[in-house]
Structure formats: C-alpha cells, structure tokens
Amino acid sequence: MKDKLNSEIIKNDNDVFVMLDNLLEEKDNEWWNKFYSDREKPIPFFKNIPDENLVSYMDKDLLKKGKALDIGCGYGRNSFYLYKNGFQTTGIDFSKTSIEWGKQIQKEDSSNVNFLCQSIFDFKDTQESYDFIYDSGCLHHIKPHRRPEYLKIISKYLKSDGYFAMVCFNLKGGSNISDYDVYKDCSMHGGMGFSEHKLKEVLEPYFQIIEFREMIETTNENIFGKSFLWTVLMKKNKIFCISTQNQLFS
C-alpha cells in the first residue's frame, strides 16, 4: 500500500494521461497479436485487398505520388496497394504478429513496403514528410484522451499540400457510447462508433474535410467495402500548416 501511495502521484498533465492509460489498459498489442494469429478466420479484411474509398481516390487521380504512411496497417493490405500504385510506403502497427504476416507476403510478391512494429505514438520521422497518410480502422480504437495527440502527430508529419484519409466505425459498426462512457465503464467496448456530427467535431479543428461519406458496400472480391464504416478525405488546416512551419524554422 505504501509503494502505491508513493508511486501513484499526479504531478502534471502527462501523469493524468498515464493514469487514464492504466485505467483502460486492455493489453492491446497482446489482443491484436492473438487476433492476427489465425489467418484462416472469415474476417473480410483478412483478404489482401484495398479499401473501396482508397481505390476511388486513385481512380479519381486525387493523390500525388510520393511518401505514404499507413497507420495501424495490420498485415499491410492497403500498404501493398499504395506501393503498387507508386508510393514509397511505410506501414506501422504495434502487433508483431500482423507485421510478420505482412513481411511474409512481401517476400512472396517482391513488394518493398517499410514495415515497422510500433505505435504511432512512438513513431518518429521528419516533419511534413508525407504526401499521404492513411488510417483504416485505427481512430475508433484510440482512447479519447489520446485522440488530440494522435491527430496532432498526423498533422505534424503531413505535408501542407498532402492528404489524410480515414476509415472508422459509424454507429452501425462500432459501440454507441460517448467519450465519457469509456471512463465510466473502463472500456472501449471493442471500438467506438462515431456519429457524423461527432466525427466532424473531432476532425475539423485539425483538418479541412474534402469528402465525407459512408463506405460503399461492395460484392467486388478485389475491394473491401462495408457500409458500417465512415470514409473521410482531408487536407491539413492552414493554421496547422503555419504552426508546423514555425516549428521547422524555430
């Protein structure tokens, strides 16, 4: 009891974040390692196919070829698609099992994706170095108190003329809970569902929304598309462009 009294001390904002992290600790990386360990499970996104919205951005020639970052990439199905469409691609995920799966696929098809096993919160690179950043199913697992930090990290690494795109649960796919409920229940309930209003409230302080829509349900076996997901295409807000430039030259 004395050790606990002497160690569990809140001295600053970061201590509050650590306390909340521990309160919601679900051994996330262990859970995802187990999730990806059985590759034969009938999970729709276990097929090596890209997201419907990502394909649509390519078909419309919206994305400038360059460097791409795929956050929470899993085994890299969207990372591989970006690489094959001319991007120098880095895929990050904190599940060792999923990254090992991606590297195995890479050996078989001679792709050259830079896979890294780490959290976005530990990721380091040059500021404003990515032309495209993609999040397919990561945000709805980010704990609410870490969400602003997460979005600031993306804004930090995104070029001023780059695009950020996201796929996340809507209320048909994720748990219909508030941010407050997460802490009342000490659980993310498997992933938060976002209303259109809530998701825009979360994103608009950081990004200008170019396209916001429900993912198109598809029976095309070469594309992943489920209507229980939102898809959002964005550019960085000017205020964040100026802020990042000031950081670069300060």
Side-chain angles (χ1 to χ4, degrees), residues 193-226:
F194 286 83
S195 66
E196 180 176 350
H197 173 79
K198 179 178 179 179
L199 188 55
K200 287 181 176 179
E201 284 284 300
V202 165
L203 295 173
E204 285 180 337
Y206 305 89
F207 301 99
Q208 174 192 358
I209 295 175
I210 308 299
E211 180 184 85
F212 188 109
R213 64 174 173 82
E214 192 175 88
M215 182 178 268
I216 298 172
E217 188 90 21
T218 178
T219 56
N220 185 336
E221 294 184 355
N222 297 312
I223 297 175
F224 173 81
K226 296 294 179 182

Side-chain angles (χ1 to χ4, degrees), residues 149-161:
E149 179 185 3
Y150 174 71
L151 296 172
K152 287 176 184 177
I153 289 171
I154 292 169
S155 183
K156 173 183 176 181
Y157 291 124
L158 185 66
K159 289 183 178 180
S160 58
D161 61 346

Side-chain angles (χ1 to χ4, degrees), residues 8 10 12 25 47 88 98-99 108 114 122 126 133 150 161 164 174 192 198 204 213 238 248:
E8 294 184 350
I10 292 178
N12 51 49
E25 180 59 49
K47 291 185 65 179
Q88 179 186 341
S98 68
I99 292 296
E108 295 169 356
N114 178 32
D122 299 319
T126 306
I133 298 179
Y150 174 71
D161 61 346
F164 169 46
M192 300 185 69
K198 179 178 179 179
E204 285 180 337
R213 64 174 173 82
K238 290 183 179 180
L248 282 168

Side-chain angles (χ1 to χ4, degrees), residues 53-111:
N53 59 301
L54 185 56
V55 174
S56 78
Y57 305 150
M58 292 295 184
D59 288 346
K60 295 173 185 175
D61 201 26
L62 289 175
L63 305 180
K64 175 185 174 183
K65 302 296 191 296
K67 287 183 65 178
L69 177 65
D70 185 9
I71 302 170
C73 66
Y75 61 90
R77 60 188 182 86
N78 289 307
S79 298
F80 290 127
Y81 179 78
L82 287 165
Y83 170 77
K84 290 171 183 176
N85 279 272
F87 283 87
Q88 179 186 341
T89 307
T90 295
I92 65 171
D93 200 292
F94 65 14
S95 167
K96 181 180 178 181
T97 305
S98 68
I99 292 296
E100 289 174 346
W101 185 1
K103 288 182 177 180
Q104 180 183 335
I105 295 173
Q106 185 160 250
K107 288 180 181 178
E108 295 169 356
D109 71 359
S110 300
S111 296

